[in-house]
Amino acid sequence: MAHDPGLTPAEDGVRLRALSRSFDGRTVLDGIELDIPRGEFTALLGHSGSGKSTLLRAVAGLDEAVAGEGLIQVPEPSSVVFQDARLLPWSRVLDNVALGLPGPRAAARERGRAALAEVGLADKENAWPATLSGGEAARVALARALVREPRLLLLDEPFGALDALTRMRMHGLLRDLCARHRPAVLLVTHDVDEALLLADRLLVLTDGRFSLDLRPDSPAGPERRRHPGFADLRDRLLFALGVPEEARV
C-alpha cells in the first residue's frame, strides 16, 4: 500500500483507493474508496468495532499494516486530534501548542499565541495542563492542531469525554475554525447528532464498506435541525447504524 503525502486531486484533498485491513482474519476495511476535497467536512459513523478509527489511523499514516492494491494520498501538513487531549503535563499550555513548530522559537511561540487566541484561551498560555477543564484541554488540542495550518484535519471522537453543554460549545468553535482554515476534515464519531450538526457529508461504515453516503441539502450547523428533511435524515442514519425504531429518541 502506498501512502503518498504529495500532490493529490480534489483540491489538495484526500484520495483513498482499495484500502483493506484485517485483524485475526476478520476484515474491518474491505476495499475502501473515498475522496475528501479541501474544505469539506466528512463525518464517519459506525457501531463499535466497525473500523472507524482504523480508517482514520490509516489516513494518518499510523497503521502500516493496511493492505490493498490502491493507495492513500493525503495533503501535508496534516493534524490529528484524539479524544484524549494528550497534552504534555510537564509543559505549559503555550509550549504544548508550539511544540515541534519549525523556525525560531520566538516565532513559533507567537504562532502558538495566535492559535490560543483563536480558541479563546489567550489568558491560559502559562497554565499547566493539569489546571485546565476538559473543555479547555480540548481547545488547546485544537489550537495545537490548527497552528500548523493543516490541509487535512483528522478528528477521532475529540469531544466524547465532554459534558453536553461543553460539547455544544466545542461544536460551534470547530465549525468556525474549519470555515476559517478550510482543511479537509474527517471526523470519526459515534454521535449521530454531532455528525448531523457538523458535517457536509455523512458516511456509515458497515462490514468494512460504506453502507450509507449522504450529502444533506441543508448547511451544517444548528439551523439544520429546523430543515424539513432533518428527521428523515436522522432516521436514515439510525437505521443504517442498526438502531431499532422503538429505541430512536
Side-chain angles (χ1 to χ4, degrees):
M1 170 64 66
H3 191 284
D4 181 2
L7 295 176
T8 70
E11 300 180 357
D12 290 333
V14 175
R15 182 178 176 88
L16 310 180
R17 293 294 179 268
L19 261 69
S20 298
R21 182 68 162 96
S22 297
F23 294 95
D24 299 324
R26 184 176 71 90
T27 299
V28 294
L29 300 178
D30 186 11
I32 291 291
E33 308 220 346
L34 177 63
D35 294 310
I36 307 175
R38 183 178 180 185
E40 181 174 274
F41 197 124
T42 296
L44 177 63
L45 299 109
H47 60 76
S48 180
S50 63
K52 304 185 301 297
S53 292
T54 299
L55 177 56
L56 182 138
R57 287 176 57 82
V59 176
L62 300 176
D63 188 350
E64 296 181 356
V66 173
E69 297 177 356
L71 53 77
I72 303 173
Q73 288 182 319
V74 299
E76 293 290 347
S78 62
S79 294
V80 186
V81 180
F82 298 97
Q83 183 175 130
D84 181 349
R86 302 191 181 190
L87 304 180
L88 301 178
W90 54 82
S91 295
R92 296 185 187 272
V93 163
L94 178 58
D95 293 321
N96 267 280
V97 173
L99 181 68
L101 287 177
R105 183 171 184 269
R109 288 172 66 83
E110 280 308 305
R111 288 173 61 188
R113 289 189 179 98
L116 284 171
E118 272 200 295
V119 300
L121 291 179
D123 60 336
K124 294 290 185 178
E125 68 171 74
N126 291 316
W128 295 103
T131 68
L132 302 177
S133 67
E136 289 170 338
R139 281 191 277 167
V140 173
L142 269 181
R144 183 177 56 189
L146 292 171
V147 75
R148 288 152 179 79
E149 289 293 339
R151 288 190 287 167
L152 170 61
L153 180 61
L154 301 169
L155 305 159
D156 194 357
E157 301 194 44
F159 311 132
L162 303 180
D163 65 83
L165 289 177
T166 303
R167 192 160 58 245
M168 289 171 60
R169 296 188 190 100
M170 290 303 301
H171 290 164
L173 175 63
L174 180 60
R175 282 197 309 272
D176 291 344
L177 291 171
C178 287
R180 192 176 308 151
H181 292 269
R182 296 196 70 250
V185 182
L186 177 61
L187 166 71
V188 165
T189 181
H190 65 276
D191 187 330
V192 168
D193 291 310
E194 178 172 80
L196 284 167
L197 293 176
L198 289 173
D200 306 308
R201 184 181 184 185
L202 303 155
L203 299 171
V204 175
L205 188 62
T206 308
D207 297 328
R209 295 178 176 271
F210 297 132
S211 58
L212 194 64
D213 183 349
L214 296 175
R215 294 181 183 272
D217 295 331
S218 53
E223 302 80 12
R224 182 174 281 169
R225 288 186 180 276
R226 295 189 286 273
H227 190 270
F230 178 82
D232 179 65
L233 181 63
R234 190 172 186 273
D235 271 349
R236 290 183 67 185
L237 281 172
L238 291 171
F239 178 80
L241 291 165
V243 179
E245 187 171 356
E246 62 272 16
R248 299 174 197 170
V249 294

